[in-house]
Amino acid sequence: MSLPVLRVCLTAEYGRRSVLRDVCFDLCAGDALGMVGSSGAGKTTLVMALLGLLAWRGGKASGEVLIHGRNLLSMTEREVRRLRGKFISLIPQSPMTALNPAVTLRAHFEAAWRAHESQGREALASRMKEVLEEVQLPTGDEGFLRRKPGQISVGQAQRVLIALALLHRPSILIADEPTSALDPVTQAEIVKLLQQLTRRHGVALLYISHDLVSVLQLCDRLAVLHAGTIAECVTVAQIEQARHPATLALFGSLPVPVRVLLAHAASRELATEDRCDEDLVCL
């Protein structure tokens, strides 16, 4: 059995207010863990803690966030910056606010590249071509990279964020509600893209979403964050065996029984595999 690339067991608070309590989970290469929970459950705090950014929001995290065996919570800010974006990357929600509207798409890639690489423009151009191809964005159109975020569609902007997150070949991806600002068709495309990228590169994925259908389609396991702790963690294959009231309340809010969603997710998976060649990203 492979060793975890990410091992988490942390507590977080803002002043005297506890937000997360002993939130513990592991991720190995190729794993996809879906993290769901109601508003206020602590999902955003968890993301900030995993990236070493909680102090910037006035919070404090304790415990362990082990990235390849190194505890991020015991590092200096300079040491964390060497990991953030290179070994652990974030795909944020709301792409039109996550990207800087005042600069070109190329400038976003150049800034991200300089954060961790000393190689020059040729190396960046080669890597940009690779990641843009993977996320199905134009690679031969120089005009595309000269555009600013407001000049592309929301779906394209989300793909740009995924390409930026993949730029340095991280071993861990955190996708924070990456489909919340998208229409249903584009949501399905982004979920399928993340699924294929995870399988192809063996990236460990923490997928945070309110969309249980996408979680069932994309993830191996489901963790329910409730009142600052993981109430229950089950494999997707055994999800109907879940028993915690928070999980059952989540299922009860769905318009159809969870077994119907499982069947729907499985049928979408089979249909997509029938249409797609193994070496292509099908969007």
Side-chain angles (χ1 to χ4, degrees):
M1 182 176 180
S2 60
L3 294 175
V5 295
L6 177 67
R7 171 162 285 175
V8 175
C9 196
L10 65 83
T11 294
E13 55 194 24
Y14 294 98
R16 295 183 178 179
R17 182 169 66 92
S18 176
V19 179
L20 299 176
R21 296 182 305 281
D22 298 325
V23 172
C24 302
F25 60 89
D26 289 351
L27 275 176
C28 296
D31 280 354
L33 172 64
M35 186 74 67
V36 300
S38 60
S39 297
K43 298 188 299 296
T44 298
T45 297
L46 175 62
V47 171
M48 294 296 101
L50 295 180
L51 295 170
L53 294 170
L54 195 57
W56 295 94
R57 296 172 61 96
K60 180 182 179 182
S62 58
E64 291 184 331
V65 176
L66 299 178
I67 299 175
H68 296 288
R70 301 177 61 194
N71 188 7
L72 179 143
L73 298 183
S74 64
M75 296 179 186
T76 65
E77 174 58 22
R78 177 174 291 185
E79 290 172 327
V80 173
R81 286 180 183 176
R82 292 173 184 160
L83 294 180
R84 192 168 51 226
K86 186 173 179 64
F87 294 98
I88 181 169
S89 287
L90 172 69
I91 303 170
Q93 58 180 310
S94 303
M96 290 309 191
T97 57
L99 295 169
N100 186 339
V103 301
T104 66
L105 301 179
R106 178 180 291 279
H108 284 82
F109 283 97
E110 289 173 344
W113 185 255
R114 289 194 301 268
H116 297 289
E117 290 288 349
S118 58
Q119 300 180 72
R121 298 174 69 92
E122 288 187 7
L124 170 60
S126 175
R127 182 58 185 149
M128 270 199 307
K129 185 175 186 297
E130 291 174 352
V131 293
L132 290 174
E133 284 178 348
E134 286 197 293
V135 300
Q136 292 289 287
L137 287 173
T139 58
D141 180 6
E142 278 298 316
F144 178 77
L145 289 173
R146 287 197 293 268
R147 295 177 192 173
K148 294 180 179 179
Q151 297 173 309
I152 62 176
S153 71
V154 177
Q156 287 178 318
Q158 188 64 67
R159 292 184 182 91
V160 168
L161 289 178
I162 296 173
L164 286 167
L166 293 172
L167 190 62
H168 297 288
R169 299 181 177 89
S171 53
I172 305 159
L173 273 179
I174 301 172
D176 183 14
E177 297 281 3
T179 63
S180 62
L182 306 176
D183 63 85
V185 173
T186 309
Q187 286 180 9
E189 293 172 350
I190 294 300
V191 168
K192 178 52 60 178
L193 173 60
L194 289 173
Q195 184 182 61
Q196 293 178 336
L197 291 173
T198 303
R199 290 176 176 175
R200 180 177 302 164
H201 299 295
V203 176
L205 175 67
L206 176 62
Y207 183 75
I208 297 172
S209 178
H210 286 99
D211 179 10
L212 190 57
V213 175
S214 67
V215 171
L216 296 179
Q217 184 184 6
L218 176 60
C219 299
D220 312 302
R221 291 177 292 152
L222 171 72
V224 179
L225 193 61
H226 174 70
T229 190
I230 293 180
E232 191 165 27
C233 187
V234 295
T235 65
V236 167
Q238 297 178 323
I239 197 171
E240 291 186 274
Q241 298 179 18
R243 291 293 179 266
H244 193 278
T247 312
L248 298 181
L250 174 67
F251 295 165
S253 68
L254 297 171
V256 295
V258 68
R259 64 179 179 275
V260 175
L261 292 182
L262 281 170
H264 176 63
S267 65
R268 284 173 61 181
E269 173 74 10
L270 289 173
T272 304
E273 287 181 354
D274 288 342
R275 290 196 308 268
C276 298
D277 185 270
E278 291 182 356
D279 296 325
L280 294 177
V281 175
C282 181
L283 292 180

